[in-house]
Amino acid sequence: MAEVEVQSVSKLYDELWAVRQISFIVPAGSFTSILGPSGCGKTTTLRLIAGFSSTDEGQVLIDSENINSLPPWQRNLGVVFQNYALFPFLNVQDNVAFGLRRRKLIPHEISTRVEKALELVGLPDLERRFPKQLSGGQQQRVALARALVIQPKVLLLDEPLSNLDAKLRSEMRFELKRIQRETGVTTIFVTHDQEEALTLSDQIVVMNNGRVEILGTPRLIWEQPRSAFVANFLGVENLIPARISELVNQGAHAIVEGYDKPIFIDSKLGKKGDEIVLGIRSNDIDIKCNPKESGENKVSGVITDFTYLGGTIAYQIKTSLHTNPLIAASRRELSVGATVNLNLPAKCLMILNSNRLGDL
Ligand code: ADP
Ligand code: MG
């Protein structure tokens, strides 16, 4: 088990900073995900840790030792790429044994370790097959066994599940978690899939445009995404530009254009006068059909469209707020054109930093 520290690391490609001054710590034995949209610098970060490309600024440390000048094969890291990168001309046994042979282990040790690694990933009895004779899921397991067999200090996984179909992907997700628990290996998992990151990780690093946007536990990031970018990326459907008009004992009041009363929020992030974004998830908005029903932060509107999500229906509702139509989820069947009252519960409203709204 080893701790990884990325310290003010930057990488310049031609004129473009693929990553810029990123810093984070991956605790020993943790499962840490790097989450972000395509092109935000996830693979670059992983390659810098692995040593496949060199940093232009900053350093990577493993257990407090600067490894910048070590070539990849001396870093003792296991890497699994999105396309698995198995050697097509080697069978499963030889693919997995590859790193051990290069390390010149004795044959008996090699075969014992290969056998154990294949057992660990749930793939016994396929040693003689070649990669093209395996399914995507099986190839994935071989790639994992090949990375783990060298008993790496750190396991680096670059979108390892994205080539699998939905069912296999969720199966492999559980498998990854089990394998990580059994081995205790420090794992850095790159993904653009928020659900994968939320379900697998002890800690998530969210990246945007070459920078670290937020770092925290899945729960913290889900409940307090802090920026409009992260909220949007985590699927918060309603982002409403607002200004904090007052801080009160239990939270804050905000002004939203097109709404004549203050909106109450149970959160105190920010200060009076701040331009912010209010975030609220569609299933946290209550739809009331009876206009007499009361509730917090009442807004009325007209249903303009809906999407059936299986279980719930997401309604698009045009209101007087100067923002996109609100999205509210409900199990009830309502018709387009109906007037409804919405409650935006104060405890469900998030105060978000609006700096990055332009990037959405
Ligand atoms: P992600 O893995 O998050 O999709 P990458 O780390 O692959 O993103 O890429 C980050 C940025 O760096 C992108 O704009 C990409 O086009 C650029 N980039 C990545 N690799 C290279 C390279 N070898 N040469 C030039 N630009 C690159
Ligand atoms: Mg990538």
Side-chain angles (χ1 to χ4, degrees), residues 188-257:
I188 306 180
F189 174 82
V190 160
T191 180
H192 64 268
D193 183 316
Q194 47 130 334
E195 200 180 310
E196 266 173 32
L198 288 166
T199 51
L200 282 168
S201 317
D202 301 311
Q203 156 179 290
I204 303 177
V205 179
V206 181
M207 288 186 67
N208 175 23
N209 214 358
R211 296 186 184 264
V212 172
E213 188 84 15
I214 191 172
L215 182 154
T217 60
R219 182 163 199 154
L220 177 108
I221 288 174
W222 180 261
E223 290 176 1
Q224 294 176 27
R226 297 291 176 115
S227 74
F229 170 83
V230 176
N232 179 58
F233 197 68
L234 290 180
V236 175
E237 299 89 339
N238 299 292
L239 297 170
I240 309 165
R243 183 168 43 81
I244 297 182
S245 55
E246 208 177 343
L247 290 184
V248 291
N249 272 344
Q250 64 279 31
H253 295 177
I255 301 295
V256 172
E257 274 195 65

Side-chain angles (χ1 to χ4, degrees), residues 49-340:
I49 297 171
F52 298 137
S53 50
S54 55
T55 58
D56 290 315
E57 289 177 350
Q59 52 240 320
V60 178
L61 301 114
I62 293 193
D63 283 339
S64 309
E65 184 200 345
N66 184 337
I67 57 161
N68 267 15
S69 54
L70 287 187
W73 57 91
Q74 284 177 11
R75 296 188 178 196
N76 201 20
L77 309 173
V79 188
V80 176
F81 299 99
Q82 183 173 350
N83 58 6
Y84 322 137
L86 297 177
F87 306 116
F89 48 87
L90 295 181
N91 67 22
V92 167
Q93 163 105 25
D94 293 336
N95 258 286
V96 178
F98 189 83
L100 300 178
R101 295 216 169 102
R102 226 167 51 171
R103 284 170 173 76
K104 307 228 172 350
L105 266 67
I106 55 165
H108 175 68
E109 174 77 11
I110 293 179
S111 57
T112 317
R113 282 227 226 156
V114 168
E115 197 180 319
K116 270 202 192 133
L118 287 172
E119 216 170 279
L120 176 69
V121 300
L123 253 200
D125 308 327
L126 296 179
E127 293 94 333
R128 303 275 158 242
R129 294 242 192 123
F130 284 85
K132 64 172 187 302
Q133 299 169 309
L134 301 172
S135 71
Q138 289 169 332
Q139 290 184 35
Q140 180 61 266
R141 287 170 196 259
V142 176
L144 259 175
R146 188 179 59 178
L148 287 165
V149 79
I150 60 163
Q151 297 173 347
K153 283 187 175 172
V154 182
L155 180 63
L156 304 173
L157 307 168
D158 193 357
E159 313 232 12
L161 308 182
S162 52
N163 284 351
L164 306 175
D165 63 51
K167 184 164 172 289
L168 209 49
R169 204 180 316 149
S170 76
E171 243 172 67
M172 277 307 288
R173 208 191 281 169
F174 285 111
E175 281 289 278
L176 264 186
K177 191 75 193 164
R178 174 188 65 75
I179 291 167
Q180 201 264 341
R181 265 202 220 109
E182 276 180 32
T183 57
V185 64
T186 308
T187 301
I188 306 180
F189 174 82
V190 160
T191 180
H192 64 268
D193 183 316
Q194 47 130 334
E195 200 180 310
E196 266 173 32
L198 288 166
T199 51
L200 282 168
S201 317
D202 301 311
Q203 156 179 290
I204 303 177
V205 179
V206 181
M207 288 186 67
N208 175 23
N209 214 358
R211 296 186 184 264
V212 172
E213 188 84 15
I214 191 172
L215 182 154
T217 60
R219 182 163 199 154
L220 177 108
I221 288 174
W222 180 261
E223 290 176 1
Q224 294 176 27
R226 297 291 176 115
S227 74
F229 170 83
V230 176
N232 179 58
F233 197 68
L234 290 180
V236 175
E237 299 89 339
N238 299 292
L239 297 170
I240 309 165
R243 183 168 43 81
I244 297 182
S245 55
E246 208 177 343
L247 290 184
V248 291
N249 272 344
Q250 64 279 31
H253 295 177
I255 301 295
V256 172
E257 274 195 65
Y259 192 67
D260 55 1
K261 287 176 284 203
I263 301 258
F264 300 106
I265 311 147
D266 270 2
S267 160
K268 282 194 182 179
L269 296 172
K271 53 185 192 310
K272 184 171 170 172
D274 278 358
E275 299 290 337
I276 55 151
V277 172
L278 288 176
I280 186 164
R281 293 196 160 83
S282 63
N283 45 20
D284 288 331
I285 298 184
D286 288 335
I287 304 184
K288 308 246 192 263
C289 296
N290 178 353
K292 295 213 174 71
E293 277 182 86
S294 62
E296 282 168 332
N297 302 322
K298 223 160 106 169
V299 186
S300 70
V302 175
I303 296 178
T304 55
D305 205 350
F306 66 90
T307 312
Y308 181 66
L309 301 176
T312 60
I313 302 168
Y315 291 100
Q316 188 172 308
I317 297 156
K318 178 104 193 77
T319 69
S320 62
L321 306 187
H322 290 194
T323 180
N324 294 331
L326 295 180
I327 310 289
S330 171
R331 288 178 179 279
R332 261 187 283 177
E333 255 184 66
L334 304 165
S335 19
V336 169
T339 298
V340 289

Side-chain angles (χ1 to χ4, degrees), residues 16-36:
L16 173 100
W17 290 100
V19 300
R20 191 78 207 263
Q21 289 285 323
I22 55 166
S23 298
F24 58 87
I25 292 177
V26 176
S30 74
F31 195 115
T32 294
S33 292
I34 302 179
L35 172 69

